Amino acid sequence: MPLVEDPLPVSPTPPASTSPLTVRRGYVSVIVGVVAAAVGLATAEVVAGLVDAWRSPVLDVGDRVIDATPAWLKDLAIAWFDTNDKAALLVGIGVLLVLYAAGVGVVAVRFGLRWGIVAVVPFAAAGSLSVLADRVERSWTGVLPTVVGAGAACGALALLRWSLTRGQAVTGSGGADHHSDASESPRDEVAVGAIDGRRSFLLLAGTLTVAATAAAGAGRWLEGRFSAAASRAGLSLRPADRPLPPPPTAAALDIDGVSPLFTPNSDFYRIDTALVVPQVVAEDWSLRVTGMVDQPLELSYDELLARELVEADITLTCVSNEVGGNLVGTARWLGVRLDDLLADAGIDPAADQIVGRSTDGYTCGFPVDTLDGRDALVAVAMNGEPLPLRHGFPARLIVPGLYGYVSATKWLTEIELTRFDQFDQYWVPRGWDAEAPIKIQTRVDTPRGLANLSPGLVPVAGVAWAQTRGIESVQVRIDDGDWQEADLAEAVNVDTWRQWSMPWEATPGRHTIAARAVDGDGVIQTEERSEQMPNGASGWHQIVVLVGDN
Ligand SMILES: Nc1nc2c(c(=O)[nH]1)N[C@H]1C(S)=C(S)[C@@H](COP(=O)(O)O)O[C@H]1N2
Ligand SMILES: [Mo]
């Protein structure tokens, strides 16, 4: 294959009708770049599909972007895209990729293949560095998908550019030729040659695109072999050794629009730093207990399940939840008590922090003192089914009374006993507090903010939570009126949110509804607003509704 190292002959722009290739140089270069990138990325995808530990470079780069994202931007992303922030990131990466690839195409067509290849290098470097800078230590072989992909992109670049120059040769439209031949060569002939050249170029570009699409599909399929879905589907967990009775019927109000007592798994919010859900196969998984312990432990999945299994109803809350937000949910968890497990390992009295490590390198950390008898679990099931993959299959931590980021490690693989002065968990260097007990919160679920209502009786209802303290009362205020006691559903326990309601005789006009709670220690929820950063939002949830006068 003749690799043309020089810039394409720049023709002194002949009339548009004679040489579409030259005239459309811009869009042709974009095609060259984007198709070459597609070939490169698809190749990387196939290579990544060969070995479990190898990943698509796009995802590796995405993970590094997530790690580098400052906390305010993370909260902004959640505010804008809700929990679609990852999809938004992938779309953003995709747009940047296309722009960059187009730039590479322009460079390759205008300045020569050599420069096009040089332009691919930063790209390959970003992919490779993203692998090497992963949260978990990975073998250098992890750069292979990137390197092979970059090589394929360069090959495609060369091929497309060769086809282009051939097209130019066929048209005989090298600038110099053009004016010397112009007198003898009929316009038609030149145009036909140009169209042939363009046709073969577009044919090549089209073929490469189809091949890249097929390869990307094949790569995804290959990666599917490492999915943990089959492992999860093959499990049947035995019931708890200490099962809980169903929650009291009086714990769930029969009011439209109020959050259900238990959040269905499919509706349960998902927050984590993993761009794609880690695939952890239960049969290959183990949990290690390490660090400042008398006796390190290592348990396989079966060995974990062989321990006493207990159930607990616990509300999990994300520190990024804004007042009135939806990053909170309740489940009946099944698992092994953390205090029992750590008692077997024997905690060194000098240890003050329990760190949970994930297979993807994420870490959380919370005080040893947290183990005060509360139902902290290594959980394996959620609402009656094995943990969904996105919620941490095969095992995760759940600690009542602490925000998720300091406690609820998903895809848990190690519990390390250490000290706060020796180890900072994932979010601490990013500006969040090392200790983060849950703040009391009350949410108005119904009516919705800015709802248009008819006058008359309107049920105002929602949920309130203050895990480990419980909710003692909820109060509602309409406009500047007095605080009125809401009716409380029966409490399930102190770790689960509590539903509340208050009938309201709505009168025409615009009204503000505010709600606050009092926890089991008698502490009234503060009006003072604080941001989610650095240890959770506070303040009252207030909504405005419009009541018509019909
Ligand atoms: N491995 C891992 N575990 C994690 C996180 C994470 O990013 N990675 N995020 C934590 C945070 S911030 C929260 S709020 C909870 C959310 O759990 P969920 O997605 O099951 O609702 O998981 C915690 N566990
Ligand atoms: Mo969170």
Side-chain angles (χ1 to χ4, degrees):
M1 185 176 63
L3 284 190
V4 183
E5 289 293 343
D6 325 302
L8 288 181
V10 179
S11 32
T13 324
S17 58
T18 60
S19 182
L21 266 186
T22 322
V23 174
R24 305 263 170 86
R25 178 65 64 81
Y27 101 89
V28 164
S29 325
V30 168
I31 293 182
V32 168
V34 172
V35 172
V39 168
L41 292 170
T43 305
E45 211 67 43
V46 172
V47 177
L50 299 179
V51 175
D52 195 359
W54 293 357
R55 294 184 66 208
S56 149
V58 178
L59 299 180
D60 274 321
V61 171
D63 275 342
R64 296 297 77 73
V65 172
I66 289 175
D67 289 349
T69 301
W72 60 267
L73 188 58
K74 171 199 157 228
D75 278 346
L76 197 65
I78 292 176
W80 283 353
F81 304 114
D82 199 31
T83 39
N84 299 319
D85 53 338
K86 291 193 179 102
L89 173 64
L90 281 175
V91 169
I93 291 177
V95 169
L96 287 180
L97 271 175
V98 169
L99 291 177
Y100 190 88
V104 170
V106 169
V107 167
V109 170
R110 291 195 58 152
F111 304 113
L113 180 60
R114 194 179 296 136
W115 291 108
I117 291 175
V118 167
V120 173
V121 169
F123 213 75
S128 303
L129 287 177
S130 295
V131 174
L132 299 175
D134 198 352
R135 293 169 209 136
V136 283
E137 209 168 293
R138 282 166 65 188
S139 146
W140 66 269
T141 56
V143 306
L144 281 175
T146 309
V147 171
V148 177
C154 292
L157 214 51
L159 199 60
L160 286 160
R161 204 175 166 284
W162 166 76
S163 150
L164 255 191
T165 39
R166 218 182 51 129
Q168 295 273 334
V170 171
T171 66
S173 73
D177 291 351
H178 183 72
H179 65 75
S180 61
D181 292 355
S183 47
E184 311 130 57
S185 153
R187 284 175 63 113
D188 283 1
E189 217 172 272
V190 173
V192 167
I195 286 169
D196 272 358
R198 186 173 68 165
R199 221 175 253 154
S200 65
F201 167 75
L202 290 179
L203 192 67
L204 175 65
T207 309
L208 287 179
T209 306
V210 171
T213 310
R220 300 267 74 193
W221 178 83
L222 283 171
E223 300 213 28
R225 293 178 302 144
F226 309 124
S227 159
S231 164
R232 177 173 181 272
L235 289 172
S236 62
L237 292 173
R238 73 165 203 278
D241 300 299
R242 279 194 271 148
L244 283 180
T249 37
L253 298 173
D254 186 18
I255 295 178
D256 270 359
V258 77
S259 305
L261 187 56
F262 291 106
T263 314
N265 289 353
S266 54
D267 295 345
F268 210 97
Y269 78 94
R270 171 188 169 200
I271 290 288
D272 54 59
T273 59
L275 196 47
V276 291
V277 175
Q279 303 292 317
V280 185
V281 173
E283 294 76 18
D284 303 339
W285 173 90
S286 71
L287 174 63
R288 297 187 302 133
V289 181
T290 63
M292 300 168 73
V293 290
D294 305 332
Q295 175 64 53
L297 305 176
E298 178 157 8
L299 295 93
S300 68
Y301 190 67
D302 285 341
E303 286 165 342
L304 183 72
L305 293 188
R307 298 181 65 95
E308 183 181 49
L309 289 180
V310 303
E311 281 180 319
D313 297 336
I314 300 166
T315 296
L316 179 63
T317 317
C318 181
V319 73
S320 293
N321 192 43
E322 57 185 1
V323 173
N326 56 8
L327 303 180
V328 53
T330 299
R332 173 161 291 188
W333 309 92
L334 171 80
V336 167
R337 286 190 67 93
L338 183 60
D339 48 11
D340 276 359
L341 185 66
L342 294 185
D344 280 7
I347 301 176
D348 179 335
D352 64 4
Q353 184 177 213
I354 301 172
V355 168
R357 292 180 189 277
S358 162
T359 55
D360 76 345
Y362 180 86
T363 52
C364 71
F366 51 95
V368 170
D369 294 346
T370 306
L371 301 185
D372 55 3
R374 72 183 76 180
D375 293 332
L377 301 181
V378 175
V380 293
M382 177 178 185
N383 290 327
E385 48 176 278
L387 281 179
L389 302 184
R390 34 193 269 127
H391 294 292
F393 182 82
R396 73 176 305 173
L397 287 169
I398 290 290
V399 183
L402 302 181
Y403 285 112
Y405 83 101
V406 291
S407 63
T409 302
K410 304 192 273 189
W411 314 289
L412 178 72
T413 186
E414 183 180 346
I415 299 171
E416 185 191 357
L417 272 291
T418 179
R419 297 188 50 82
F420 278 99
D421 59 19
Q422 277 169 23
F423 182 76
D424 285 334
Q425 51 182 296
Y426 184 90
W427 284 110
V428 168
R430 292 169 175 82
W432 297 81
D433 281 0
E435 293 194 39
I438 298 278
K439 296 181 183 178
I440 182 171
Q441 268 299 316
T442 310
R443 185 173 74 191
V444 181
D445 288 336
T446 185
R448 314 292 293 181
L450 300 181
N452 285 297
L453 306 172
S454 302
L457 200 60
V458 170
V460 179
V463 284
W465 60 88
Q467 293 92 310
T468 68
R469 287 99 73 198
I471 295 295
E472 188 176 281
S473 69
V474 171
Q475 301 162 353
V476 178
R477 190 181 69 181
I478 309 291
D479 301 320
D480 296 326
D482 293 332
W483 287 102
Q484 305 169 55
E485 290 295 324
D487 301 321
L488 288 176
E490 197 172 317
V492 174
N493 60 32
V494 290
D495 298 329
T496 303
W497 60 16
R498 194 164 180 185
Q499 296 180 346
W500 56 268
S501 73
M502 195 199 73
W504 170 46
E505 200 52 51
T507 54
R510 184 177 182 277
H511 297 286
T512 302
I513 303 174
R516 69 177 187 193
V518 180
D519 74 14
D521 296 337
V523 177
I524 302 176
Q525 181 180 337
T526 179
E527 177 180 13
E528 199 181 315
R529 281 258 170 179
S530 68
E531 293 301 312
Q532 296 96 305
M533 180 106 182
N535 58 17
S538 69
W540 299 336
H541 189 203
Q542 308 207 39
I543 61 163
V544 170
V545 294
L546 307 159
V547 184
D549 33 15
N550 50 315

